[in-house]
């Protein structure tokens, strides 16, 4: 069998249903076999779009996302998408074509050392040098991408390998001597954690993306049902615990709620669950949770003690560890703490000025209302992302998809496309900025041609708003490079792509426009002209203690 | 502080680049690196000597990340621990009729082997732990060292 045909055989055996990508000379043999395989192919209009779509598909479904690109520029165009998935530990396998093995290293046409380039942004990567190794490598790639701490894996396949004949078949198992993630937490450590919970009077659960990845939402709810410990989540974990619950504190960190940050700072037991103490969470690290004993549950030993001291480390899969913990855990005496927290929640709610121009927060609240909180929200990066995190109430995991670690503008639209492919029956909204949307706007074509009815809500402030906010607050309003003069007419642009376009310039039009968009049968873009200089509050300036939150509205 | 790290890896292409990348990405300079197959030809051992530049925590993180590399099977830090280490050097020292016998005498005391002699130089092979190597280097410098080649340190755990 030809390598290219075997490639699809392997994917089918792996259970792959869809592949996002873009062709070129070095993958033409693979594309030649495409129609003979049951795999659905979605042609994006840029390889970055393919990588983000595979990532969005993975985040929404929990399955491994797959993308493909040609050698050279095809591969380099994937790079941002791969790095995005790597920073957020998203399971993905990226395939690239490569020049024939005999030409590697010769600066051949469209040659790039994509294995070298992606080494620091993949969990692992492969250059296939023998067609007989292709099935084993593909097996390993999927195994690595989707187990342990998940992440992207790249497989680079030279053209002659795709053309070569082999009689190898897909193996049942991958065996990698140096790879054996620890799934079960050490019982002694879990006992210690249970004991600490029993003794703590001001405990808090700080939950990150690892809880989503391991499918721990249910165990987390059980733990809270048993102990009433308040929960704050990172951007990566929004929805893993219902924000409607009285002990939910929403998001913490730089643009987190005041009550989440206060609770962290006053806690005496901080239980980090699949989170990694990112600087956007901790602020000044030496002043983070100063009174707390720290417990940390994570599948990746390198996450433990990386930037904070940890008193009770538990290496293991979050879901399994919580399950084991739930068997023995007993609640502590935390009545006064819960009272304090509910007072903070009352005193410092997320709020905004509602007079005058359209407020982005209002738009998001309305999207929440009109979708019954059942939509999948993707975001671009910037203020739009933070408002989407703050003002939509998330109640389920895998419903908020956003580039957390890398902060990639241009993520939202292709990710929405991937999510819509994974969840055809759900409403998918990309909450966008006028800057970010232009980084992958070409994917509107992909949505239109594949009948993927994603909704794009541009919070159009005419600025690279988040950068402008920093310039306003810390750089004496020197708005250098952040004024988006010459933005296109987004409505016409959407229509040119064959999508629907709606412009909203007044508050009273917001709801009717959303109604129209939700009824619209295909992809649709809404250009919300929002208050141009609206800021994201609260805010902890970079590098200071998270107790020191600035706010626009007292 | 200097660390001697022994890393068992799969014997595959690209592994060295992955290992080296963890150090170079943090601006750590590798002092020496020795690689060779183990009894099992599918597995190689790397012995890496590296300075932690005053951040032992970062070194600890690097070691954890080494462990995390898919092709890495085992990582041991021999620093201050129970291990024996050796390095082999080849050194070409200038000689004259006046100095030759003194050089050969030093070589004899240090159990160095003379592996090549010419009219104006002699090549010595010396094996030993760092102290011994440094000691003989100190003694030979004043005669004029034309070339020095070192294997880098290798280390093994004591039984
Ligand atoms: C690819 C990329 N380039 C630059 C940045 C830096 N950056 C962060 S937020 C931001 C502004 C985004 O503007 P817009 O999409 O209009 O969103 P807004 O903040 O106005 O809601 C920029 C430029 C980034 N995150 N990603
Ligand atoms: Mg903007």
């Amino acid at each position: 069998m030809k390598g290219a045909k075997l490639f699809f055989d392997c994917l089918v055996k792996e259970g792959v249903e869809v592949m996002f990508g873009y062709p070129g000379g070095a993958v033409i043999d693979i594309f030649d076999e495409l129609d003979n395989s049951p795999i659905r192919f979605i042609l994006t209009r840029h390889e970055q779009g393919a990588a983000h779509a595979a990532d969005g598909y993975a985040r929404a479904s929990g399955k491994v996302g797959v993308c493909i690109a040609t050698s050279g520029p095809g591969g380099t165009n994937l790079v941002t998408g791969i790095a995005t998935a790597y920073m957020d530990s998203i399971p993905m396998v990226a395939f690239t074509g490569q020049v024939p093995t005999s030409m590697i290293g010769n600066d051949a046409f469209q040659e790039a050392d994509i294995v070298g380039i992606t080494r620091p942004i993949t969990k692992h990567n492969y250059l296939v040098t023998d067609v007989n190794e292709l099935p084993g490598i593909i097996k390993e790639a999927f195994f690595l991408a989707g187990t342990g701490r998940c992440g992207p894996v790249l497989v680079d396949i030279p053209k002659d390998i795709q053309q070569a004949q082999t009689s190898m078949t897909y193996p049942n198992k991958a065996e990698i001597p140096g790879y054996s993630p620890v799934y079960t937490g050490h019982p002694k450590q879990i006992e210690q954690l249970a004991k600490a919970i029993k003794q703590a009077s001001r405990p808090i659960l700080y939950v990150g993306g690892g809880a989503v990845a391991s499918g721990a939402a249910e165990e987390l709810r059980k733990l809270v049902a048993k102990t009433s410990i308040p929960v704050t989540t990172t951007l990566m974990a929004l929805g893993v615990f219902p924000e409607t619950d009285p002990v939910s504190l929403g998001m913490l960190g730089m643009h987190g709620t005041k009550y989440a940050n206060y609770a962290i700072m006053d806690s005496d037991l901080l239980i980090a669950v699949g989170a990694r103490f990112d600087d956007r969470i901790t602020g000044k690290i030496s002043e983070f949770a100063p009174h707390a004993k720290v417990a940390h549950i994570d599948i990746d030993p390198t996450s433990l003690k990386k930037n904070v001291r940890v008193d009770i480390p538990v290496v293991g899969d979050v879901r399994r560890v919580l399950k084991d913990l739930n068997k023995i855990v007993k609640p502590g005496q935390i009545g006064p703490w819960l009272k304090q927290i509910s007072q903070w929640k009352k005193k410092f709610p997320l709020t905004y000025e509602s007079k005058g121009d359209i407020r982005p927060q209002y738009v998001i609240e309305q999207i929440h209302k009109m979708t019954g909180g059942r939509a999948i929200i993707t975001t671009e990066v910037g203020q739009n992302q933070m408002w989407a995190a703050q003002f939509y109430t998330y109640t389920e995991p895998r419903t908020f998809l956003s580039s957390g670690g890398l902060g990639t503008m241009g993520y939202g639209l292709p990710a929405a496309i991937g999510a819509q492919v994974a969840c055809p029956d759900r409403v998918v909204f990309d909450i966008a900025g006028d800057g970010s949307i232009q980084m992958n706007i070409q994917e509107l074509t992909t949505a239109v041609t594949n009948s993927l009815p994603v909704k794009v809500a541009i919070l159009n402030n005419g600025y690279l708003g988040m950068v402008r906010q920093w310039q306003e607050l810390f750089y004496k309003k020197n708005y250098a490079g952040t004024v988006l003069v010459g933005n296109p007419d987004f409505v016409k642009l959407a229509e040119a792509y064959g999508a629907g376009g709606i412009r909203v310039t007044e508050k009273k039009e917001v709801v009717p426009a959303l109604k129209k968009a939700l009824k619209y049968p295909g992809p649709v873009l809404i250009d919300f002209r929002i208050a141009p200089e609206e800021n994201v509050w609260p805010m902890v300036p970079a590098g200071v203690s998270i107790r020191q939150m600035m706010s626009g509205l007292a | 502080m200097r660390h001697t790290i022994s890393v068992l890896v799969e014997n595959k292409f690209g592994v060295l680049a992955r290992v080296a990348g963890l150090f170079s990405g943090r601006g750590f300079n590798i002092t020496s690196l020795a690689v060779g197959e183990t009894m099992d030809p599918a597995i190689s051992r790397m012995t890496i000597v590296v300075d932690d530049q005053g951040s032992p925590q970062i070194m600890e993180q690097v070691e954890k990340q080494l462990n995390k590399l898919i092709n890495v099977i085992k990582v041991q830090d021999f620093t201050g621990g129970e291990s024996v280490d050796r390095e082999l050097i080849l050194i070409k020292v200038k000689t004259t009729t006046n100095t030759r016998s003194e050089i050969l005498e030093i070589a004899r005391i240090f159990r160095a082997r003379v592996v090549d002699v010419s009219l104006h130089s002699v090549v010595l092979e010396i094996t030993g732990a760092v102290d011994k190597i440094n000691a003989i280097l100190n003694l030979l410098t004043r005669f004029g060292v034309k070339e020095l080649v070192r294997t880098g340190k290798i280390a093994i755990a004591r039984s």
Side-chain angles (χ1 to χ4, degrees):
Chain A
M1 188 189 293
K2 237 178 91 172
K5 181 155 175 38
L6 177 62
F7 170 84
F8 282 108
D9 271 24
C10 296
L11 262 53
V12 168
K13 294 222 174 86
E14 196 55 50
V16 174
E17 287 162 3
V18 59
M19 181 165 84
F20 302 87
Y22 210 89
V27 283
I28 203 164
D29 290 272
I30 288 178
F31 276 78
D32 199 40
E33 293 292 336
L34 187 59
D35 284 349
N36 302 325
S37 95
I39 288 174
R40 178 177 179 195
F41 175 68
I42 293 191
L43 176 70
T44 56
R45 291 306 190 269
H46 189 302
E47 290 87 350
Q48 186 186 351
H52 290 325
D55 167 316
Y57 173 88
R59 291 190 207 223
S61 68
K63 298 182 200 157
V64 178
V66 179
C67 58
I68 185 165
T70 192
S71 65
T76 53
N77 271 351
L78 287 179
V79 166
T80 302
I82 294 172
T84 302
Y86 182 70
M87 288 294 278
D88 289 344
S89 306
I90 303 304
M92 176 163 121
V93 175
F95 293 100
T96 45
Q98 183 54 278
V99 302
T101 40
S102 59
M103 292 201 221
I104 290 177
N106 281 356
D107 290 343
F109 177 63
Q110 294 197 322
E111 177 181 1
D113 175 10
I114 198 66
V115 168
I117 290 170
T118 59
R119 194 174 292 126
I121 54 164
T122 50
K123 181 167 173 184
H124 197 56
N125 59 16
Y126 297 88
L127 168 65
V128 186
T129 54
D130 177 349
V131 70
N132 293 316
E133 289 175 359
L134 182 63
I137 286 176
I138 295 179
K139 184 80 212 173
E140 285 187 16
F142 279 90
F143 177 60
L144 289 172
T147 58
R149 179 173 180 177
C150 297
V153 177
L154 179 132
V155 182
D156 196 24
I157 314 176
K159 192 175 167 89
D160 54 319
I161 303 289
Q162 299 167 34
Q163 294 167 336
Q165 294 288 332
T166 175
S167 57
M168 292 296 284
T169 52
Y170 201 52
N172 294 322
K173 248 174 81 183
E175 270 174 56
I176 308 169
Y179 181 74
S180 51
V182 175
Y183 290 100
T184 310
H186 198 289
K188 282 257 153 53
Q189 297 298 95
I190 297 175
E191 262 167 47
Q192 274 216 21
L193 177 51
K195 208 164 120 197
I197 289 174
K198 181 87 188 79
Q199 287 166 352
S201 52
R202 299 186 310 279
I204 182 165
L205 283 153
Y206 146 50
V207 181
V212 178
S214 74
E218 205 189 309
E219 292 300 336
L220 180 63
R221 281 169 214 215
K222 280 189 196 155
L223 175 63
V224 177
K226 283 186 180 213
T227 59
S228 306
I229 301 177
V231 179
T232 177
T233 70
T234 67
L235 187 79
M236 290 302 300
L238 293 179
V240 80
F241 187 76
E243 293 183 337
T244 43
D245 194 293
V247 297
S248 166
L249 301 175
M251 185 171 76
L252 77 163
M254 182 176 275
H255 291 297
T257 61
K258 286 198 172 180
Y259 37 92
N261 287 349
Y262 286 155
I264 289 275
M265 294 304 280
D266 277 10
S267 65
D268 68 350
L269 174 65
L270 175 69
I271 309 164
V273 181
R276 60 185 176 86
F277 297 86
D278 179 85
D279 54 271
R280 285 295 186 264
I281 294 298
T282 62
K284 189 172 183 183
I285 192 97
S286 56
E287 287 170 25
F288 185 70
H291 315 296
K293 191 172 209 178
V294 178
H296 192 176
I297 308 168
D298 205 292
I299 191 139
D300 180 1
T302 65
S303 285
L304 298 168
K305 303 184 203 165
K306 186 175 68 175
N307 34 22
V308 291
R309 75 199 145 74
V310 177
D311 305 294
I312 311 173
V314 189
V315 176
D317 173 72
V318 167
R319 187 181 60 82
R320 290 203 207 174
V321 171
L322 291 186
K323 195 169 174 199
D324 289 344
L325 177 64
N326 281 337
K327 287 180 198 150
I328 55 169
V329 75
K330 300 246 161 52
Q333 304 286 320
I334 63 169
W337 175 235
L338 292 177
K339 204 180 258 165
Q340 163 80 83
I341 281 180
S342 81
Q343 276 168 7
W344 278 330
K345 281 182 82 166
K346 269 198 212 98
K347 196 161 169 208
F348 307 109
L350 283 173
T351 175
Y352 60 93
E353 172 67 63
S354 53
K355 283 198 291 273
D357 293 340
I358 301 174
R359 302 291 164 165
Q361 303 92 334
Y362 172 76
V363 174
I364 305 221
E365 282 175 350
Q366 295 313 308
I367 292 175
H368 175 256
K369 211 164 158 189
M370 298 188 58
T371 56
R374 295 271 306 141
I376 294 178
I377 302 295
T378 71
T379 77
E380 302 293 340
V381 169
Q383 295 180 313
N384 57 86
Q385 178 184 35
M386 292 301 128
W387 289 319
Q390 293 175 329
F391 288 92
Y392 189 99
T393 310
Y394 298 92
T395 54
E396 291 171 79
R398 303 192 180 281
T399 56
F400 177 79
L401 320 182
S402 189
S403 169
L406 199 66
T408 308
M409 291 171 68
Y411 172 79
L413 175 55
I417 287 171
Q420 189 77 80
V421 170
C423 308
D425 301 328
R426 291 187 84 144
V427 175
V428 181
F429 252 101
D430 171 27
I431 298 192
D434 49 326
S436 302
I437 193 64
Q438 296 184 65
M439 290 215 173
N440 275 315
I441 191 132
Q442 76 288 343
E443 299 309 333
L444 275 177
T445 312
T446 311
V448 170
T449 52
N450 291 282
S451 307
L452 299 165
V454 299
K455 322 285 174 208
V456 180
I458 302 182
L459 304 177
N460 187 345
N461 50 13
Y463 285 112
L464 297 173
M466 184 56 91
V467 184
R468 187 208 56 75
Q469 177 170 342
W470 283 51
Q471 289 169 329
E472 176 187 334
L473 301 174
F474 314 115
Y475 293 86
K476 302 191 180 119
K477 296 201 178 189
N478 178 11
Y479 294 165
T482 47
V483 186
L484 290 179
V485 278
N487 265 341
D489 180 330
F490 286 111
V491 171
K492 278 193 189 155
L493 190 58
E495 288 168 356
Y497 277 114
I502 306 170
R503 175 158 302 116
V504 179
T505 53
E506 280 181 68
K507 186 174 173 182
K508 64 173 190 294
E509 300 165 359
V510 170
V511 171
L514 285 172
K515 267 195 191 131
K516 197 169 151 194
L518 285 166
K519 279 213 196 91
Y520 194 86
V524 56
L525 179 154
I526 321 165
D527 178 16
F528 291 100
R529 297 299 176 88
I530 63 161
E533 302 206 359
E534 185 71 16
N535 284 333
V536 179
W537 302 118
M539 176 176 191
V540 179
V544 314
S545 156
I546 62 167
R547 198 186 286 285
Q548 294 168 40
M549 279 168 286
M550 303 165 68
S551 41
L553 294 162
Chain B
M1 187 170 92
R2 275 206 173 176
H3 294 251
T4 303
I5 303 167
S6 179
V7 190
L8 272 186
V9 300
E10 287 185 75
N11 189 4
K12 288 187 173 167
F13 67 85
V15 178
L16 177 60
R18 290 178 204 280
V19 169
L22 285 184
F23 293 95
S24 62
R26 288 182 173 70
F28 282 14
N29 182 31
I30 292 177
T31 309
S32 80
L33 170 73
V35 192
E37 281 180 6
T38 60
M39 293 297 286
D40 177 353
I43 296 173
S44 296
R45 181 182 294 282
M46 296 182 180
T47 308
I48 304 168
V49 178
V50 62
D51 195 296
D52 68 17
Q53 311 194 336
S55 337
Q57 328 82 274
I58 296 186
M59 201 59 218
E60 196 187 323
Q61 183 65 13
V62 171
E63 287 176 26
K64 281 194 200 167
Q65 297 205 333
L66 272 173
N67 250 317
K68 197 169 146 184
L69 288 178
I70 307 298
N71 300 130
V72 168
I73 298 163
K74 193 175 172 193
V75 181
Q76 287 169 282
D77 190 333
F78 283 147
T79 313
E82 298 291 286
S83 67
V84 228
D85 57 68
R86 290 290 179 272
E87 181 170 14
L88 184 145
I89 67 171
L90 292 174
I91 184 166
K92 191 183 287 170
V93 190
K94 256 192 230 162
T95 54
T96 61
T97 31
N98 290 339
T99 61
R100 183 171 295 115
S101 58
E102 192 180 345
I103 290 169
L104 292 178
E105 179 59 13
I106 292 171
R108 195 185 61 75
I109 294 166
F110 279 88
R111 294 187 200 179
R113 276 166 29 115
V114 180
V115 288
D116 189 39
V117 186
S118 73
L119 216 49
H120 303 295
S121 67
V122 47
V123 177
L124 303 177
E125 171 197 315
I126 303 145
T127 312
V130 181
D131 292 353
K132 173 178 164 187
I133 303 246
N134 286 345
I136 192 166
L137 280 179
N138 269 340
L139 289 173
L140 294 176
T141 315
R142 68 192 157 101
F143 300 107
V145 174
K146 292 174 111 174
E147 228 178 309
L148 171 67
V149 184
R150 324 175 61 137
T151 56
K153 182 153 111 180
I154 53 170
I156 197 165
R158 288 181 194 275
S159 8

